[in-house]
Amino acid sequence: MRERQLIVSLTSWSKRIGNLPRVLDCIWEQTVQPDMIVLNLAEEEFPNKTIPATLSEYIITHDKLRVNWVRENTRVWKKFLPTLSLYPDALILPIDDDILYPPTMIEDFMQMHTKYPDRPISGNHVVYEGIKAHCGCASLVQAKFFAGWEQYVTPAFRNACPSSDLFYTYLAAKNGYFYAETETDYMKSAITYNEVSGYSASFSKGRLRMSHEAIYKALGMEVLRPFNDNDHRPFCVLGSMQTELGKVIEKEMLEWLVPHFNVYLVRHNGQAFEYTAIKFLKDVMSRTNAPCFYLHTKGAVYTRKLSHRVRNMWRYEFVSRQAEYLKVVDCEQPRVACPYTGSDKVTWYNGWCANAAAIRAFDVIETNNRFYYEYELCRNVDVVGLRMNNINEPKEERVAMHQDLKDNFD
């Protein structure tokens, strides 16, 4: 017996609903059977819930097939999102209504799920912007991968972005989950079908029509994530204020961050200071249960003539001494490691390394108080300064810190 339900989910529309009996027969012929098939149909598309008689008869004779009526016709978005809401603890396998699947398709997905139980599985071997992509014709997913989807899938967003594959790819990444892939590339090998003309040509290749700019806009941020399966570099979130100076500092920092970290770059307009980057950090890293370095271009912008010293210090501390910082936060209690810490301020110049327990320990609110997150961390976690600890302002310890910067990082 499986630990959780396995549900195949799909949708259809008036011009293809006649395909369903033949397509669904492919699922009943699978070597591994689902617990249920959920067919999401829109009342807007089928007034009075009227469907072809052949499909009505098919539904009556298949007790594991459930029709879920939704009011609004959200087109491709209703393929499996309503099913996630109905069955939040299930494994969901979205499929298309015009593909005849090979009998080992579900078995292939479940074997990969056994190998990667906490990752979405894509039936497509496409890598987009360094990330394996969701496959519209078949992917194995769970509700937690797409937490928060309701706030993004608005009518305006759906109209601007007709293809959902990359949205699912990036929303899963935003939640800290990255796709593995099946043995077979179903986007390339699957055969499309319709009841009128029968079989049509196989897909020549997967086409991901939605630009990452559209996804970023929908998510309210811009995110850069160099990543691959064999990459064990630590995580780093870099908040980047999109002023003229912020963009210059971003470019410089990425040159030395990317070779040594898996970088999330969170760009924003500078309003509410660090809120966008900190919220992203909290949403993603508290779910991955991994330590994460955090930097922000404003930490160099606001230090006047010390900017170059601060960036030199960050580069030395977080690249050359990376292992030391990771060792300090390798514990169960909430802990942050940074170069310089104060008695009531977690760090000077916005650079630190935190474990997941520390990231979970503080509240994230939208505020224009640029010191709020510093104070909040300091109240809730154990803070260790690896270059200088517990600097008091404006006493001689702070003078010593500035002298340290000048002596070592000018």
Side-chain angles (χ1 to χ4, degrees):
M1 177 178 284
R2 283 189 283 262
E3 294 182 3
R4 59 177 68 185
Q5 280 187 300
L6 171 63
I7 297 175
V8 170
S9 181
L10 75 162
T11 188
S12 192
W13 63 305
S14 58
K15 292 186 178 181
R16 286 216 298 246
I17 197 163
N19 292 357
L20 290 178
R22 180 68 188 96
V23 171
L24 293 175
D25 280 344
C26 291
I27 304 303
W28 306 129
E29 295 164 2
Q30 294 287 309
T31 55
V32 171
Q33 285 288 295
D35 296 295
M36 186 187 306
I37 298 177
V38 174
L39 171 62
N40 297 309
L41 297 177
E43 294 178 31
E44 284 184 6
E45 181 75 18
F46 302 96
N48 301 318
K49 301 181 180 179
T50 301
I51 58 177
T54 53
L55 181 59
S56 295
E57 295 171 2
Y58 190 94
I59 292 169
I60 291 171
T61 58
H62 292 80
D63 58 1
K64 289 186 178 182
L65 174 59
R66 170 182 176 177
V67 178
N68 175 44
W69 288 99
V70 297
R71 182 168 298 177
E72 183 184 3
N73 183 15
T74 57
R75 301 184 314 229
V76 67
W77 304 96
K78 68 183 185 297
K79 181 187 295 184
F80 72 94
L81 291 178
T83 309
L84 292 180
S85 299
L86 288 173
Y87 302 98
D89 298 322
L91 295 173
I92 311 292
L93 179 61
I95 65 170
D96 280 348
D97 64 346
D98 61 346
I99 290 179
L100 301 181
Y101 294 91
T104 56
M105 184 264 293
I106 294 180
E107 182 178 354
D108 185 8
F109 274 100
M110 293 306 293
Q111 286 176 349
M112 295 307 296
H113 172 67
T114 300
K115 188 175 181 179
Y116 301 107
D118 206 36
R119 292 178 64 177
I121 310 298
S122 174
N124 191 355
H125 294 183
V126 167
V127 175
Y128 185 84
E129 296 287 325
I131 308 177
K132 282 186 173 63
H134 177 92
C135 178
C137 74
S139 285
L140 187 65
V141 299
Q142 302 174 45
K144 65 181 180 180
F145 302 152
F146 309 113
W149 66 265
E150 297 91 343
Q151 65 183 298
Y152 301 120
V153 186
T154 62
F157 172 68
R158 295 197 309 268
N159 290 333
C161 308
S163 175
S164 59
D165 285 7
L166 289 184
F167 173 74
Y168 297 131
T169 302
Y170 277 88
L171 185 56
K174 181 180 180 296
N175 282 299
Y177 300 102
F178 299 92
Y179 281 80
E181 62 188 27
T182 50
E183 293 290 335
T184 300
D185 188 336
Y186 293 98
M187 191 67 102
K188 293 181 179 178
S189 62
I191 298 176
T192 58
Y193 169 82
N194 68 72
E195 63 169 340
V196 176
S197 60
Y199 300 96
S200 58
S202 298
F203 290 113
S204 59
K205 62 179 179 179
R207 293 182 179 179
L208 301 176
R209 301 191 305 272
M210 183 175 174
S211 71
H212 65 279
E213 289 87 357
I215 300 166
Y216 296 149
K217 184 176 180 181
L219 298 179
M221 64 185 69
E222 295 186 44
V223 181
L224 171 70
R225 179 61 160 78
F227 178 79
N228 64 66
D229 269 352
N230 299 317
D231 198 338
H232 300 293
R233 294 174 295 179
F235 293 98
C236 176
V237 170
L238 173 63
S240 177
M241 194 163 57
Q242 292 300 281
T243 60
E244 185 176 348
L245 181 55
K247 292 176 182 178
V248 172
I249 293 173
E250 170 198 307
K251 182 178 179 181
E252 176 191 324
M253 292 180 65
L254 286 175
E255 288 179 356
W256 55 265
L257 283 172
V258 169
H260 301 282
F261 294 90
N262 279 310
V263 180
Y264 286 105
L265 173 64
V266 183
R267 295 189 176 110
H268 61 94
N269 61 10
Q271 294 179 355
F273 292 94
E274 298 176 70
Y275 170 72
T276 305
I278 290 286
K279 184 177 186 300
F280 181 83
L281 177 80
K282 174 95 173 183
D283 287 349
V284 174
M285 300 316 302
S286 61
R287 290 190 177 102
T288 64
N289 204 35
C292 180
F293 288 81
Y294 174 76
L295 291 165
H296 199 289
T297 58
K298 88 173 183 64
V301 171
Y302 288 122
T303 52
R304 302 178 183 88
K305 296 181 180 179
L306 300 181
S307 290
H308 69 287
R309 295 176 186 170
V310 171
R311 295 198 297 278
N312 289 340
M313 179 268 292
W314 282 340
R315 182 171 184 172
Y316 172 76
E317 290 294 306
F318 298 145
V319 172
S320 299
R321 302 181 66 192
Q322 185 183 98
E324 296 177 57
Y325 281 82
L326 292 171
K327 184 177 180 180
V328 168
V329 301
D330 186 16
C331 57
E332 294 185 2
Q333 65 264 37
R335 182 172 291 174
V336 169
C338 57
Y340 308 101
T341 186
S343 54
D344 64 348
K345 192 170 184 291
V346 69
T347 182
W348 292 91
Y349 309 126
N350 295 85
W352 39 269
C353 176
N355 59 18
I359 295 167
R360 287 192 289 264
F362 74 106
D363 293 327
V364 177
I365 65 171
E366 188 166 0
T367 175
N368 284 318
N369 178 357
R370 65 189 179 96
F371 298 115
Y372 170 81
Y373 305 113
E374 302 266 7
Y375 298 146
E376 185 69 13
L377 271 177
C378 210
R379 283 195 296 268
N380 291 287
V381 307
D382 178 28
V383 184
V384 178
L386 268 67
R387 291 195 69 82
M388 205 170 290
N389 204 40
N390 205 25
I391 301 163
N392 295 300
E393 184 183 6
K395 297 182 180 179
E396 60 186 19
E397 289 93 341
R398 189 177 180 194
V399 174
M401 176 188 68
H402 288 303
Q403 190 62 45
D404 182 59
L405 276 175
K406 183 178 180 181
D407 292 344
N408 293 287
F409 304 107
D410 209 359

